[in-house]
Each structure stands twice: as structure tokens, then as C-alpha cells.
Amino acid sequence: MDYAPCQNLRTRRNRGIILPVAPTDLDQQCLAKLPSCNEHCEVARCCTDPNSRCLQENFLSCLTYGACEESTMGVNLTIPPMYNLLPQAPGEMTYACNEQDIKDNQELIALIEPDSCPEYCEQVACCYQQYPNTNCFHEDPLGCLAWHHHCQTESVAIQNWYIGQFIMPTPP
């Protein structure tokens, strides 16, 4: 978490919430049950709200508030295990979504379908849905981030999320 304070350098985009990182001594404040612990933890309450994009947009900052479980605010920042909802990305994703790695390797080109990266990445479009009832980021944030590593340049869902044009959920 050495780079967590760098989260404070972000600028506001897509009208989202920018949560500053927790003070470095928050764990000590909460252990001593100081009022300042509750004040800081109240700010991080959005991280646990499944109806908010706060956790998704401030994942690293939210993690810095882990000491809030010791506060009287009841802010529980437990992160579910990786891949508890999403499947693990297949090994070929490394090549399917990175043209630079395969452009000079004819064997890999023969194995990878030209449109396979977008097809793979659409499996995790739920990570980028705007509406809470269709967004799965809270259920598997680590899985979403692992897939994001591969899909960040290819998926239409992800590109739209970055520019603020969210995928609309299909009506129930």
C-alpha cells in the first residue's frame, strides 16, 4: 500500500466520488477508540454501499480504511475472495488482448481468433454496469480488477465506462 497516497492525486471524472486515502495512523486512532477514528470512517462508509460506485472508483483508497472495522461506525470493508463470482481469466487472454505480444509470432496468431479479446471481455461486462442491480463489482472486486488488467483496452464496456457512457442493463 506504499503507493496508496497517490490516489489523492486523482482528479474528479464522471461526477464520481474521490475518496482520499485514510490517515496513516487510522489503525492507532481506531484501536484507541478516539473520536477521530469515527470521523474518518464515516467518510469511507460509501465503500460498503452496494448502491454506490464508490468502491469501484476508489478501490485502493477504500482498502486503506480497513481499520474502520474497529470503529463504532460499523463500517465493514471485507473484500470477498477473488473469483468468487467471475471465472478466472484463461491463459490465452495475455495474447488475445495484446497485439504487441503476438504480431511477430505466427504460431500464436494461428491459435488466437481475431475477435477473441472482445468476446472474452464481454463475459465480465457486469463489472462496468452503471446500475447496482446489474453491477457485480461489489461481489468480486478482485476478479473484476484481474480481468480489467487484460481487457482495459479492448472491451467496449470498459471504454464506455471510462468516458462516462455506461452500458444500459437489459430490462428484466
Side-chain angles (χ1 to χ4, degrees):
M1 297 301 288
D2 290 339
Y3 292 103
C6 294
Q7 294 294 299
N8 291 337
L9 299 175
R10 297 173 295 158
T11 58
R12 188 174 303 278
R13 73 163 196 260
N14 300 339
R15 298 179 310 247
I17 297 168
I18 295 181
L19 179 70
V21 296
T24 55
D25 65 341
L26 182 63
D27 56 340
Q28 295 163 349
Q29 293 177 34
C30 292
L31 190 60
K33 307 255 188 258
L34 298 177
S36 57
C37 168
N38 291 337
E39 292 168 14
H40 292 297
C41 292
E42 178 62 31
V43 173
R45 188 176 292 283
C46 69
C47 295
T48 62
D49 181 1
N51 295 315
S52 166
R53 294 182 52 85
C54 180
L55 178 66
Q56 186 168 356
E57 294 176 359
N58 299 281
F59 188 71
L60 288 178
S61 293
C62 285
L63 292 179
T64 66
Y65 287 88
C68 290
E69 291 182 17
E70 301 294 325
S71 75
T72 58
M73 300 301 298
V75 177
N76 182 354
L77 297 173
T78 303
I79 303 297
M82 183 181 233
Y83 303 126
N84 71 318
L85 176 70
L86 301 173
Q88 184 171 353
E92 63 266 19
M93 286 285 295
T94 302
Y95 303 108
C97 293
N98 189 346
E99 291 179 11
Q100 293 300 319
D101 285 349
I102 67 169
K103 70 179 181 181
D104 296 325
N105 189 326
Q106 292 301 317
E107 291 177 24
L108 285 175
I109 291 172
L111 292 173
I112 304 298
E113 296 287 326
D115 294 329
S116 59
C117 183
E119 289 174 13
Y120 283 127
C121 294
E122 289 303 318
Q123 295 179 59
V124 296
C126 67
C127 295
Y128 304 96
Q129 295 292 328
Q130 178 183 18
Y131 299 108
N133 62 335
T134 55
N135 187 302
C136 64
F137 191 88
H138 274 268
E139 297 173 60
D140 195 352
L142 297 174
C144 286
L145 290 173
W147 275 87
H148 176 76
H149 173 73
H150 296 294
C151 298
Q152 62 186 334
T153 59
E154 289 294 328
S155 174
V156 172
I158 295 166
Q159 290 174 11
N160 287 340
W161 182 74
Y162 275 117
I163 61 172
Q165 296 176 356
F166 301 98
I167 294 176
M168 303 306 279
T170 53

mmCIF file of all heavy atoms in Angstrom, residues 94-95 97-105:
data_model
loop_
_atom_site.group_PDB
_atom_site.id
_atom_site.type_symbol
_atom_site.label_atom_id
_atom_site.label_comp_id
_atom_site.label_asym_id
_atom_site.label_seq_id
_atom_site.Cartn_x
_atom_site.Cartn_y
_atom_site.Cartn_z
ATOM 1 N N THR A 94 -3.676 -13.282 -22.187
ATOM 2 C CA THR A 94 -2.444 -12.499 -22.256
ATOM 3 C C THR A 94 -2.096 -12.175 -23.698
ATOM 4 O O THR A 94 -1.647 -11.079 -24.012
ATOM 5 C CB THR A 94 -1.284 -13.276 -21.604
ATOM 6 O OG1 THR A 94 -1.640 -13.550 -20.260
ATOM 7 C CG2 THR A 94 0.013 -12.491 -21.659
ATOM 8 N N TYR A 95 -2.349 -13.127 -24.588
ATOM 9 C CA TYR A 95 -2.021 -12.933 -26.001
ATOM 10 C C TYR A 95 -3.198 -12.380 -26.796
ATOM 11 O O TYR A 95 -3.009 -11.563 -27.687
ATOM 12 C CB TYR A 95 -1.551 -14.253 -26.607
ATOM 13 C CG TYR A 95 -0.364 -14.819 -25.869
ATOM 14 C CD1 TYR A 95 -0.488 -15.939 -25.064
ATOM 15 C CD2 TYR A 95 0.875 -14.195 -25.956
ATOM 16 C CE1 TYR A 95 0.607 -16.441 -24.373
ATOM 17 C CE2 TYR A 95 1.972 -14.686 -25.257
ATOM 18 C CZ TYR A 95 1.827 -15.813 -24.474
ATOM 19 O OH TYR A 95 2.891 -16.296 -23.786
ATOM 20 N N CYS A 97 -5.443 -10.318 -26.005
ATOM 21 C CA CYS A 97 -5.709 -8.895 -25.794
ATOM 22 C C CYS A 97 -4.476 -8.015 -25.918
ATOM 23 O O CYS A 97 -4.500 -6.850 -25.566
ATOM 24 C CB CYS A 97 -6.335 -8.699 -24.415
ATOM 25 S SG CYS A 97 -7.992 -9.415 -24.277
ATOM 26 N N ASN A 98 -3.393 -8.562 -26.435
ATOM 27 C CA ASN A 98 -2.182 -7.770 -26.577
ATOM 28 C C ASN A 98 -1.545 -8.049 -27.934
ATOM 29 O O ASN A 98 -0.749 -8.964 -28.079
ATOM 30 C CB ASN A 98 -1.200 -8.082 -25.451
ATOM 31 C CG ASN A 98 -0.022 -7.128 -25.450
ATOM 32 O OD1 ASN A 98 0.209 -6.399 -26.403
ATOM 33 N ND2 ASN A 98 0.716 -7.139 -24.362
ATOM 34 N N GLU A 99 -1.903 -7.239 -28.901
ATOM 35 C CA GLU A 99 -1.390 -7.435 -30.263
ATOM 36 C C GLU A 99 0.126 -7.346 -30.324
ATOM 37 O O GLU A 99 0.754 -8.001 -31.144
ATOM 38 C CB GLU A 99 -2.005 -6.394 -31.199
ATOM 39 C CG GLU A 99 -3.477 -6.591 -31.429
ATOM 40 C CD GLU A 99 -4.043 -5.510 -32.337
ATOM 41 O OE1 GLU A 99 -3.261 -4.755 -32.938
ATOM 42 O OE2 GLU A 99 -5.269 -5.448 -32.437
ATOM 43 N N GLN A 100 0.739 -6.555 -29.468
ATOM 44 C CA GLN A 100 2.199 -6.401 -29.497
ATOM 45 C C GLN A 100 2.902 -7.721 -29.207
ATOM 46 O O GLN A 100 3.951 -7.994 -29.755
ATOM 47 C CB GLN A 100 2.642 -5.349 -28.478
ATOM 48 C CG GLN A 100 2.196 -3.944 -28.827
ATOM 49 C CD GLN A 100 2.740 -3.474 -30.167
ATOM 50 O OE1 GLN A 100 3.890 -3.714 -30.500
ATOM 51 N NE2 GLN A 100 1.906 -2.826 -30.957
ATOM 52 N N ASP A 101 2.320 -8.546 -28.329
ATOM 53 C CA ASP A 101 2.956 -9.808 -27.964
ATOM 54 C C ASP A 101 2.876 -10.857 -29.070
ATOM 55 O O ASP A 101 3.681 -11.769 -29.102
ATOM 56 C CB ASP A 101 2.323 -10.393 -26.697
ATOM 57 C CG ASP A 101 2.766 -9.652 -25.443
ATOM 58 O OD1 ASP A 101 3.702 -8.831 -25.546
ATOM 59 O OD2 ASP A 101 2.180 -9.893 -24.387
ATOM 60 N N ILE A 102 1.885 -10.750 -29.947
ATOM 61 C CA ILE A 102 1.715 -11.817 -30.933
ATOM 62 C C ILE A 102 2.035 -11.414 -32.357
ATOM 63 O O ILE A 102 2.107 -12.265 -33.230
ATOM 64 C CB ILE A 102 0.280 -12.395 -30.886
ATOM 65 C CG1 ILE A 102 -0.747 -11.367 -31.350
ATOM 66 C CG2 ILE A 102 -0.042 -12.942 -29.525
ATOM 67 C CD1 ILE A 102 -2.128 -11.948 -31.573
ATOM 68 N N LYS A 103 2.285 -10.146 -32.629
ATOM 69 C CA LYS A 103 2.405 -9.710 -34.024
ATOM 70 C C LYS A 103 3.540 -10.394 -34.783
ATOM 71 O O LYS A 103 3.461 -10.566 -35.980
ATOM 72 C CB LYS A 103 2.527 -8.191 -34.116
ATOM 73 C CG LYS A 103 3.827 -7.621 -33.617
ATOM 74 C CD LYS A 103 3.842 -6.118 -33.789
ATOM 75 C CE LYS A 103 5.172 -5.586 -33.300
ATOM 76 N NZ LYS A 103 5.249 -4.166 -33.422
ATOM 77 N N ASP A 104 4.593 -10.805 -34.084
ATOM 78 C CA ASP A 104 5.719 -11.451 -34.752
ATOM 79 C C ASP A 104 5.768 -12.957 -34.523
ATOM 80 O O ASP A 104 6.739 -13.606 -34.893
ATOM 81 C CB ASP A 104 7.036 -10.837 -34.265
ATOM 82 C CG ASP A 104 7.147 -9.366 -34.644
ATOM 83 O OD1 ASP A 104 6.652 -9.002 -35.730
ATOM 84 O OD2 ASP A 104 7.718 -8.610 -33.848
ATOM 85 N N ASN A 105 4.734 -13.511 -33.933
ATOM 86 C CA ASN A 105 4.736 -14.938 -33.614
ATOM 87 C C ASN A 105 3.601 -15.629 -34.374
ATOM 88 O O ASN A 105 2.448 -15.603 -33.951
ATOM 89 C CB ASN A 105 4.572 -15.128 -32.101
ATOM 90 C CG ASN A 105 4.784 -16.554 -31.672
ATOM 91 O OD1 ASN A 105 4.460 -17.492 -32.392
ATOM 92 N ND2 ASN A 105 5.297 -16.720 -30.467
#
